Amino acid sequence: MSYAPLSDTNSPLRAEQATQLNQALSNLNGEQMTWLSGYLAGLTAQGIAPAAAGVETPAGSEALEITVLFGSQTGNAEEVAQRALARAQARGFKARLLDMAEAGKKDFKQPGNFLVVVSTQGEGDPPDTAEGFFELIDGRKAPNIDGSRFSVLGLGDSSYEYFCYTGKHLDERFTALGGERIHDRQDCDVDYEDAAEAWIESVLDRFGELSGAGTTSQPTATIGQIPLTAVAESATQYSKKNPFQAEVLDSILLNGRGSDKATYHIELSLEDSGLTYEPGDALGLLPQNDPRYVDELLETLRLDAEEDLGEGRRLREALLGEFEVTTLTRPFLNHWAELSEAEELRRLLSEEARDELREWMHGRHIIDVLEHFPVTGLAAKDFLAALRKLPPRLYSIASSLEANPDEVHLTVGAVRYEAYGRQRNGVTSTYLADRIQPGDRVPVYIDHNKNFKLPTDDATPIIMVGPGTGVAPFRAFLQQREETGATSKNWLFFGDRHFRSDFLYQTEWLNWRGKGLLDRLDVAFSRDQQEKVYVQDRLRENARDVYAWLEEGAHVYVCGDGERMAADVNQALIDVVRDQGGRSDEAAADYVRDLQKAKRYQRDVY
């Protein structure tokens, strides 16, 4: 992992310490850096300086064993779990990390102490690799965990109806199976870092109380002769909280004349950032809300755009860049129901009206709520208290760093539609499409996704399914395989509406097809004939060859819409395996699930 080199001028370290630390950090990968940051933060929080060989527990006591169990789709839950592991070890606990993809009944044979982190995908689904684990704990062979102690942290997005459902469900199941909840479950929204940090410390405090064992100060540990406590203020790395200001190099409309879509190829410069990425990673981008929409909000609420919020912050600027002001979430509606005292809104929020609320929310934004359920004389601080922070948006990276040094490319579909008499625009997509020009700068960071990666063996064949903007990471995959001289077979399934106007990156695919890098290219343009055809239909049409590739060891990748497409493609794969392998429906589903467990079937869906 790259980072800004330390010196005695940009850090509190002496020159020789900075040199030694630069050398030590240069050999660490991203996972190791994440672990180290959590370890150091744990030491700082506890005021502990462990011995070089590790933290020792007091004489006569035995370290409490803790299992940090996680289920992660894109890597966020795993990162939180790694931090929890490092904090636990820094406190002197005997801790281990366990991926739900690898967890089995044997891991619950003896009573244990579990610190659990799990994400929720879409409308209540567990991470792909954790499906088998949830089938275990929900099935007849579920383990009895009497005597075990646990606490759960769930990651989710409150704009979805079943916010953090996976974490909630696991919390209930562990209790039903005999486990003791030692700390309340923590449900985290997209801005999860602070809440996760607090939960980790609180749960470890609780485990410490239950164990009756503490930790004692020891001689300071060292890395390359540098005290660990000296690197707590380590090199600044660009991140969500400290994004890099990337210059926009180019913005190109990919759709042809007559298309009813607007998809942009956007190129950004990473020069002098030290940021690196791999195909399959995502770019996090911190957007700005539409100024026209913000002004409409202020007018509706009759608030002063220049109201001073303290620390030099003005209301309008805060609404532009700090808060989510479009997407409706249930927490916002709950807050607004209290402010407005609107009986109709309270009724919609009742459990009996869940389906009606879902339908009512569809296509509406926050401003619709303000108009339907007005509040007179509302103070700015009360409105801001109802809002969540403006979350960054993640875009699958559409380039290989080896093929495009110091650059990162994105494929962005501008979201525009009309609903309830008002024009609706996607926050980030129209920010990039309409208000950002070459030469402007946008705040970005890299979001590493270790669960959507090319095979380590360049000879392994791959099948890529990416309709619409879901094709972005596969452009990166093929650029990478071209750069490395990979000899494997590559097969792309691409779909969109019309061949003439919506064949994204057509020239590049055909060029790779001509070179022999892309062995097969199957396309599905749904509106070019009377009967709609989609990528899942092309998979079934090519069932014999798809199955043959799978039997040869091919990896399957799916990127794009998670609401319908991903499920349809998953069912198509099951159908292919059932029909071509002579299996039952259940056995075919097991085959596909085993592909997921082996990380031969990976999805990046949204």
Side-chain angles (χ1 to χ4, degrees):
M1 175 177 287
S2 300
Y3 59 93
L6 285 167
S7 69
D8 56 349
T9 61
N10 65 7
S11 77
L13 305 179
R14 298 190 304 274
E16 64 273 19
Q17 289 178 319
T19 299
Q20 291 166 343
L21 183 57
N22 287 330
Q23 292 173 346
L25 295 180
S26 66
N27 293 319
L28 300 182
N29 60 31
E31 182 177 344
Q32 292 165 332
M33 290 286 279
T34 297
W35 183 92
L36 181 60
S37 65
Y39 184 81
L40 293 172
L43 298 182
T44 303
Q46 294 300 307
I48 298 170
V55 179
E56 297 179 5
T57 53
S61 66
E62 185 174 344
L64 185 72
E65 295 186 7
I66 294 176
T67 296
V68 182
L69 177 66
F70 73 91
S72 187
Q73 183 76 22
T74 64
N76 290 337
E78 183 171 2
E79 181 182 347
V80 173
Q82 288 171 342
R83 287 184 177 273
L85 174 74
R87 300 290 178 86
Q89 291 174 338
R91 285 174 176 243
F93 295 112
K94 185 178 179 182
R96 69 171 183 136
L97 200 64
L98 178 62
D99 189 338
M100 289 180 185
E102 309 296 333
K105 197 168 183 177
K106 65 182 184 302
D107 294 294
F108 301 91
K109 203 167 187 179
Q110 301 296 329
N113 301 293
F114 296 93
L115 190 152
V116 188
V117 185
V118 65
S119 62
T120 297
Q121 310 309 308
E123 292 295 357
D125 296 324
D128 289 346
T129 56
E131 286 184 0
F133 174 77
F134 278 88
E135 288 183 2
L136 170 67
I137 65 171
D138 286 336
R140 290 184 300 165
K141 296 182 179 180
N144 183 318
I145 60 172
D146 283 344
S148 291
R149 301 177 292 197
F150 73 92
S151 182
V152 175
L153 179 137
L155 298 182
D157 183 338
S158 61
S159 65
Y160 287 91
E161 180 179 359
Y162 295 99
F163 170 59
C164 282
Y165 174 81
T166 305
K168 296 173 182 177
H169 177 62
L170 190 146
D171 187 58
E172 293 173 356
R173 284 302 296 157
F174 268 24
T175 301
L177 294 173
E180 176 191 357
R181 184 190 302 109
I182 62 161
H183 189 281
D184 290 342
R185 186 189 70 249
Q186 176 68 55
D187 298 331
C188 294
D189 207 344
V190 288
D191 185 42
Y192 61 86
E193 287 85 355
D194 291 345
E197 292 280 343
W199 174 81
I200 290 170
E201 295 302 329
S202 296
V203 174
L204 292 178
D205 283 345
R206 184 71 179 121
F207 274 130
E209 293 169 4
L210 292 171
S211 69
T215 57
T216 57
S217 296
Q218 302 291 336
T220 302
T222 63
I223 293 182
Q225 303 304 312
I226 304 169
L228 279 178
T229 50
V231 300
E233 297 294 332
S234 62
T236 297
Q237 296 199 29
Y238 294 111
S239 64
K240 179 160 55 172
K241 292 188 176 181
N242 180 39
F244 174 70
Q245 297 295 326
E247 181 183 355
V248 179
L249 299 175
D250 211 348
S251 178
I252 303 168
L253 180 63
L254 295 176
N255 300 96
R257 185 179 303 170
S259 177
D260 55 359
K261 303 174 78 172
T263 310
Y264 292 84
H265 172 78
I266 296 174
E267 299 182 358
L268 305 173
S269 172
L270 296 180
E271 190 171 2
D272 298 327
S273 69
L275 291 172
T276 62
Y277 62 86
E278 296 178 352
D281 287 339
L283 187 78
L285 193 146
L286 283 69
Q288 289 269 320
N289 287 307
D290 187 338
R292 293 172 299 180
Y293 180 87
V294 168
D295 290 339
E296 192 175 1
L297 277 178
L298 291 168
E299 183 179 351
T300 300
L301 292 170
R302 300 183 182 279
L303 294 174
D304 179 5
E306 296 303 310
E307 181 172 339
D308 188 356
L309 301 179
E311 300 179 346
R313 294 163 63 236
R314 303 291 177 178
L315 178 57
R316 185 174 187 272
E317 290 303 310
L319 292 175
L320 281 173
E322 294 182 32
F323 295 98
E324 176 78 83
V325 295
T326 53
T327 304
L328 277 179
T329 67
R330 194 175 185 94
F332 173 83
L333 292 175
N334 286 330
H335 197 110
W336 199 256
E338 293 182 11
L339 291 173
S340 66
E341 298 182 345
E343 288 301 324
E344 176 63 10
L345 182 53
R346 287 175 173 170
R347 185 191 68 78
L348 284 170
L349 287 165
S350 67
E351 189 61 33
E352 296 75 18
R354 179 176 286 272
D355 291 342
E356 185 181 350
L357 176 64
R358 184 191 310 118
E359 183 177 346
W360 189 90
M361 289 175 65
H362 184 71
R364 284 189 167 95
H365 285 165
I366 284 176
I367 195 167
D368 299 290
V369 177
L370 309 188
E371 292 177 342
H372 275 77
F373 308 107
V375 176
T376 57
L378 183 70
K381 63 179 179 61
D382 293 328
F383 178 56
L384 296 182
L387 304 176
R388 66 177 185 176
K389 291 182 180 179
L390 180 62
R393 267 51 169 192
L394 298 179
Y395 286 95
S396 300
I397 292 175
S399 57
S400 158
L401 191 60
E402 282 74 7
N404 304 273
D406 293 327
E407 292 183 14
V408 61
H409 301 171
L410 305 177
T411 310
V412 179
V415 177
R416 300 187 183 95
Y417 61 96
E418 186 174 319
Y420 304 103
R422 189 189 299 273
Q423 179 63 36
R424 316 286 171 164
N425 296 319
V427 172
T428 311
S429 64
T430 55
Y431 166 68
L432 291 171
D434 300 341
R435 304 196 301 279
I436 295 299
Q437 304 297 324
D440 292 341
R441 293 184 178 272
V442 293
V444 303
Y445 64 96
I446 301 298
D447 189 83
H448 298 285
N449 185 357
K450 64 187 299 182
N451 292 322
F452 198 75
K453 284 288 180 285
L454 279 166
T456 54
D457 184 354
D458 274 349
T460 302
I462 61 174
I463 298 173
M464 302 165 284
V465 183
T469 57
V471 83
F474 305 135
R475 180 176 184 265
F477 279 18
L478 290 181
Q479 283 188 354
Q480 182 76 6
R481 288 204 141 179
E482 184 174 39
E483 286 296 311
T484 60
T487 58
S488 63
K489 296 188 297 183
N490 304 295
W491 189 349
L492 174 66
F493 288 86
F494 173 74
D496 216 310
R497 293 184 177 176
H498 300 286
F499 169 79
R500 290 188 177 278
S501 60
D502 303 319
F503 197 168
L504 308 183
Y505 301 115
Q506 176 185 6
T507 302
E508 294 184 41
W509 307 129
L510 296 181
N511 182 41
W512 280 321
R513 185 76 174 89
K515 288 181 177 179
L517 178 68
L518 185 57
D519 295 81
R520 298 191 60 162
L521 174 62
D522 282 276
V523 295
F525 294 101
S526 60
R527 308 304 199 271
D528 279 350
Q529 59 284 312
Q530 187 172 0
E531 184 177 349
K532 293 180 181 178
V533 178
Y534 299 104
V535 287
Q536 59 266 26
D537 300 313
R538 297 297 186 223
L539 282 166
R540 291 188 177 93
E541 290 172 8
N542 291 277
R544 184 178 64 180
D545 291 340
V546 169
Y547 183 70
W549 279 47
L550 292 177
E551 289 291 278
E552 291 173 23
H555 287 213
V556 181
Y557 300 88
V558 179
C559 183
D561 167 49
E563 189 171 341
R564 294 185 59 182
M565 181 277 296
D568 291 341
V569 167
N570 188 76
Q571 185 58 54
L573 287 173
I574 292 173
D575 294 345
V576 166
V577 172
R578 180 197 62 213
D579 297 341
Q580 298 300 312
R583 292 173 169 83
S584 65
D585 286 338
E586 184 177 354
D590 288 342
Y591 181 104
V592 173
R593 192 175 299 110
D594 288 341
L595 291 178
Q596 287 182 319
K597 289 180 180 178
K599 297 194 173 180
R600 286 181 52 204
Y601 174 24
Q602 300 179 26
R603 304 195 302 177
D604 180 10
V605 297
Y606 38 85

